[in-house]
Structures are given as C-alpha cells and as structure tokens.
Amino acid sequence: MLRPVAVYCLLFTLWTWCEAQSDSGTPVIQLRLAGEKRKHYEGRVEVFYNGEWGTVCDDDFSFSAAQVVCRELGFIDAESWSPSAKYGKGEGRIWLDNVHCSGGEKSLAQCESNGFGVSDCKHSEDVGVVCTQKRIPGFKFIRTQGNGEEGVNVQVEDVRIRATYSQRKRIPITEGFLEVKDGGKWRQICNRDWTEMNSRVICGMYGFPGEKRFNTRPYKLLATRRKKNYWGFSVNCTGNEADLSDCKLGHEIELKGNSTCQEGMPVVISCIPGRAFAPSVSTGFRKAYRIEQPLVRLRGGAMIGEGRVEVLKNGEWGTVCDDNWNIRAATVVCRELGFGSAKEALTGARMGQGIGPVHMNEVECSGFEKSLTECYFNRDALGCSHEEDAAVKCNVPAMGFHNRLRLSGGRNPYEGRVEVLAERNGSLVWGTVCSESWGTMEAMVVCKQLGLGFASHAFQETWYWQGDSSADNVVMSGVRCSGTELTLDQCLHHGKHIDCPKGGGRFAAGVSCTQTAPDLVLSSQVVEQTSYLEDRPMYALQCAQEERCLSSSADKADSTSYRRLFRFSSQIHNNGQSDFRPRAGHQSWIWHECHRHFHSMEVFTHYDLLSLNGTKVAEGHKASFCLEDTHCDEGIQKRYECANFGAQGITVGCWDTYRHDIDCQWIDITDVLPGDYIFQVQKNILFVALVF
C-alpha cells in the first residue's frame, strides 16, 4: 500500500530541488544499480535524495541490507553483496554510512544509519549488490523522483513480445506487439518516441542479434480494433544495453484511455534470428551477418549460447583476459555469434581454462561492433593467466526444445529414460528411443536440449527406471549425433521407419546429466617440441605389436627388419570444471602380461596422420595404463597417482604426460611416402569417463 507523500519544493534560478517525505517521517528515496556491471540485476547501490544521486558506504553493510535494497528495486531477494567499489567508484555524495537493517524494512531509508550525508567514507568503499533475477509479482515502482537529466532506469516486472494470431505458431516468435508488465498488468508502449535502438535492445533480450523492418499496415488495423492499455512512460535506450532495465526511463505520458497516443500506435517489435534458430536458410540474417570463418567461438559451456570466449589470431585460437571484461563486451560476442545480448559476463575462468596464448586483454567495446576483434584491446597480456579467461552467457530464443523431450523414472530430474514427442497417425505421442548405437554423443545432445548441462552417462538398458507405461513404444531409432546438434531430432535417425531389433522396454535409451564436466585439451606445443623419427627393430617391438600399436604390414615383417616411428610426448590438460576418471573400476581393468601393467582404458588417445585432402594414411592409439596428475597448476593438490594400484584420473587444473619414450606413444609411418601431412590427436575417443 502506498503512503501519501508530501512534497516540498524550492525554486532556484537554474533548477528545482525537491525533498519528499512520507507521512511517517521516513524520507522517500529512489534506488538504482549502476557501475561496471556483468549482469543487469547487479551493480553499485545508488540513492536519489535531495535532488541528487549518491552512493552507500560498505561499513557495517550486511546481507540483510542487500535484501532490503533488492526488494525496494522490485526483485524477489538478494544473492550477495560486495564491498570496496567492485562495480567502480561512484560520484557525488555518499548518502548513507554504517547502515544496519533487520531485513524486514520496506526501504533502505528505514534502516538505521549515521543519517543522510553523514559519512567518513571514500568512493573506494562504495557498496554493490547482486539481486535474484526474478521480479516481485504485482510490484508497483515509485517513479516520482530522479527523472532529471541523468534519469532512472526502466523498472518493470516483465517484458514480452505478444505475437498476432497468425504468428503464434511460429518458432521462434520474432515479431509482435511489445508489452511490459507493471503493477501486475500488461501494458503497451506508445510508439511516438520509440526508436530502432530501443527495438535492438528488446530483440537482444529475446535472443536475437538484431531488429528488422516490418509491414506496419496489419498492426495498425489490429490496433484500431483492440482495447488499449498504455504504460505511462516512454523509453530511452542507446542501443548497446543488454537489457531493458539498463535503459533510461523517458518522459511521462498523459493517460487518457483510448485517446492516449492518438498520433501513434502500440510499439511493434520485429527481430532477426541467428542462423541456428532461423526457420529457414533464406532468412535475412544471412545478408546481415557474415558467414565466413568465424573469428570468435565459445568453448566449455554446458548450455546453448554460453562458454569461454576464444579468438582466432594468426591461425591459432587463444583466450581473452577478464581485465575490464563487462556485459557490453560480452554482448558484442553474443550478437556476433548469432545470439542476443549477454545475460552475464563471466570472469575467473568460470567456463574452464583454455590453453595457448591470451590474445586480448583490457577489452573495451562501444557495444555496436560487429565483432569482438573490432573493439579496443591491449595486445600485451603480461600478468594474465588462463585462470582469468573471460566467458559469456547469452540470451537465446525460446525455441521450446525442452517441450519435445523428457526424462522419465529417474531418481532426480537429471537422469532417466529418454522419451520424445513424435507424430504418429496424425497425433503427437510420447515414446522411447532405441538404445542400439546409443552413446555419450547422443546423451550430450539430450542433456543440452533439456538445459541440464553435460552428459555423464549414456545407458543402453533402463529396466531399473519405471518410465511412463503409455510411452513404452519406440518412436525413434538409429540415432547418431555429432554433438553439435541443438535437438535430438536434428541428429541422423531412421525417421518414421523404426528399426529396433531389441525393442524398447528394458532396452530403451537413458541418460544422466551433470552441470560440470572435464575438458581434456592436448598441448600442441609439447607435441611440436618433442616429436622426432626413430627406426626401431621389430624384435624390440613385440609387446607393442601385441597391443596392436603397429601398422598391419608389421604382421608380415621379419624380426630383423625395422619400423619407422613418429614419436612425440602427449600432455593432456584437464581445463574443465570436474575431474576426469576412467569409468571402469579397479576390478574391471585389463592386465597386459607383456608390458606387465593394467589398462584402465583400452583407448585413451587416438592418433591419425592425414594427407592434405583429409585422407587417413596412418594411425596409432594409446591405452591408458597410468592416468595420473603428472603436474598441476600452482596451488592445486595432486589427487591421482598410479603407484601401488592407486586411483587414476586427471584433476581440474592438472595434466597427465605420456613421454615420447613410452611404448605405443607413436604412429608407425613405415609405409607412408615422404611428403606433407596433418597430425590429428583425439582424446577419450570412446567418451567413457566418470565425472566427479
């Protein structure tokens, strides 16, 4: 319930100063989140009081105070708070110091403090908060103050693009009337002062890289037939904001029922989808954005549109240092890759550590660049390590992928029998997936489609999970995925002609998903530095031949002949977010008598020598007989050691090294002609591992 407000104004020659006070004597203030943000629901706490914006000192600030701030801003709760000007130093007065809140106050002004303007702090002590993303339903925002030259940010409960009847069945919805939810009601915005920059921001929020022109005639016709309920403000966006809440509130609009906005109509938004989300390849995106070799990519993310930012320079992929990394630079990356604006700019290698060079440091973007490579940056990355690799989470279109797939019968939402929605005899029915050829790549697509992260297991038997009995029939078979697909039905499969000899039931496909996973990366530099050719006699290669580490011509070779071996060391880094472990337990390891050791994985790495046109001319493989933490980054403790039949694996931030002088750490090139070739290494080729 809003209390009546008394307003006292003194008119000066250049500007008006107003002080608002509630009938209880508590000053009425306005809050905003400002500064160098990485999410639109975080920032430096700023207070509008006595006609002036100021900050809050971190002395005695607490989580309870952060909760009061976030709720006063219309968010459901607070996630955290930060001292010491994490979001940059503010300007002007420090209005509040030594703030003590119980958490139940309706306004920060009701909390105990030294009083407004009484502070011994500096702006290096400005406090910041992170709020939850969800808004309080029906929250009514106070907008009577702070609408001066600086203005306040737009604050609404929710935003939506309301498609017309003819557009509602299209996926994704790219066009429709814009509506904002304020005070629990959906309202339109008058288009009199609406700009393309405003539309660009809305499209970015909905996962689209840009806006496009549209036919206004049908919308004008619809607008005359509909009852209108306009929002009472205009909006001022510069176009580089990541969210509408970062835009400034414009001037107030006089509401006169259906007579409001007589010279205009409700705002209509029309967006252009990224190539991966376009309904057809003939969409305008192809004209608007280049399709050649990308200069930027995302790696290590569990979900669509997120990952560590990597940049291609001089033919080599490298990372971006997180110094000055913010949501504006992250949004440039997201739009460049065909997504919308950034939801979050991540620092501290939150999406895993990369390898190779750090190509960019101290990136500064205006927000309108077509590529991150067009932004200003410092080429000198001295002092930056891969512990500071920058990452992003992008807004992606609502494709409804999760509505066409489900996991059934599992002990938790992250596991179960895979059930898909398929069309049979003109109606949509749920059914199972044939488990023949079902593996980790297919499971990865399922987990990604459901937004559950990475796949930790792929199951070919699911008798222990009681799924929905009405969905027992197999509706999809022959599934083979590359891992890049967005949905399971984008993978190769048999279509309507099901071929599943084992049938469904206990042999239906299943998965278990996890939010984190290992990320194994080979050091190409170590391969280059340690590679050489060796001619080795056959009598010294008996164990290697037994393990099939030589080419097939060695089977007929004389024991006194020689084999030419391309030898090299292999250093595998775990740059992910969880440890890599062989799936097989100690009891399942295979003993090799000749080499006198166990193999925890029959094929850990696979080596291919390819001609310049991609034809394989020679190959090799390395079994895992000792998978351990050979070395670790500073500050990381080794966890896996092979001595005394110990546990095998690679800890996050550590690497396992197979030296060049170990058997099978080679490719047999005896039968290969002299020339130029491509050397390719694949790790964990069978995708069998436990995630810890």
Side-chain angles (χ1 to χ4, degrees), residues 266-548:
V267 167
V268 175
I269 298 294
S270 185
C271 307
I272 190 165
R275 197 171 303 106
F277 308 101
S280 68
V281 294
S282 60
T283 57
F285 181 88
R286 187 174 288 271
K287 297 176 183 176
Y289 294 85
R290 63 183 179 212
I291 59 173
E292 65 263 23
Q293 169 72 34
L295 299 176
V296 178
R297 69 182 185 185
L298 301 182
R299 287 292 182 268
M303 311 296 181
I304 300 166
E306 68 176 41
R308 179 178 61 251
V309 180
E310 295 189 352
V311 181
L312 185 64
K313 180 183 176 184
N314 298 329
E316 185 177 14
W317 288 100
T319 61
V320 177
C321 187
D322 64 11
D323 291 352
N324 298 342
W325 186 247
N326 59 27
I327 201 161
R328 188 174 291 180
T331 291
V332 171
V333 170
C334 292
R335 291 187 190 273
E336 177 180 3
L337 295 173
F339 304 112
S341 53
K343 286 192 289 189
E344 189 173 356
L346 300 166
T347 58
R350 288 266 302 279
M351 292 289 178
Q353 297 182 28
I355 62 166
V358 178
H359 282 325
M360 301 177 77
N361 183 25
E362 298 176 347
V363 177
E364 292 182 19
C365 302
S366 70
F368 295 102
E369 294 85 354
K370 292 290 184 185
S371 171
L372 185 70
T373 57
E374 295 176 8
C375 298
Y376 167 82
F377 64 94
N378 187 350
R379 288 176 171 80
D380 182 4
L382 287 176
C384 281
S385 69
H386 287 299
E387 294 176 356
E388 300 170 84
D389 284 344
V392 299
K393 286 185 179 180
C394 305
N395 286 310
V396 297
M399 302 294 291
F401 290 153
H402 60 284
N403 298 324
R404 292 180 272 173
L405 192 71
R406 69 187 184 190
L407 301 183
S408 182
R411 296 164 297 178
N412 58 62
Y414 286 84
E415 67 176 20
R417 184 176 78 173
V418 178
E419 295 177 359
V420 297
L421 193 62
E423 187 177 342
R424 289 292 179 269
N425 301 321
S427 60
L428 292 173
V429 297
W430 286 98
T432 57
V433 178
C434 184
S435 65
E436 195 169 334
S437 77
W438 186 259
T440 305
M441 295 306 289
E442 291 70 36
M444 289 286 275
V445 174
V446 168
C447 293
K448 181 166 59 175
Q449 182 175 346
L450 290 171
L452 298 178
F454 303 98
S456 57
H457 289 86
F459 299 96
Q460 294 190 341
E461 290 190 33
T462 52
W463 54 269
Y464 36 79
W465 286 330
Q466 293 299 315
D468 188 338
S469 58
S470 65
D472 282 343
N473 291 333
V474 176
V475 295
M476 183 180 277
S477 63
V479 181
R480 290 188 178 275
C481 304
S482 67
T484 60
E485 298 87 353
L486 300 180
T487 64
L488 197 64
D489 58 13
Q490 289 179 1
C491 301
L492 291 172
H493 62 283
H494 289 153
K496 294 182 180 179
H497 305 287
I498 304 301
D499 181 17
C500 188
K502 290 183 180 180
R506 64 174 292 172
F507 295 107
V511 301
S512 66
C513 306
T514 177
Q515 289 293 312
T516 59
D519 183 13
L520 302 183
V521 181
L522 174 77
S523 172
S524 56
Q525 185 178 11
V526 171
V527 172
E528 290 179 13
Q529 291 173 347
T530 59
S531 59
Y532 61 96
L533 298 180
E534 179 191 13
D535 292 329
R536 194 167 178 83
M538 273 298 298
Y539 64 77
L541 295 169
Q542 292 179 2
C543 288
Q545 188 175 14
E546 199 176 288
E547 291 190 19
R548 312 303 301 169

Side-chain angles (χ1 to χ4, degrees), residues 3 13 73 101 151 153 171 201 345 461 473 530 566 615 680 684:
R3 293 184 174 135
T13 54
L73 286 167
C101 302
N153 289 2
I171 297 177
V201 173
E461 290 190 33
N473 291 333
T530 59
F566 171 54
T615 304
Q680 174 179 282
N684 189 25

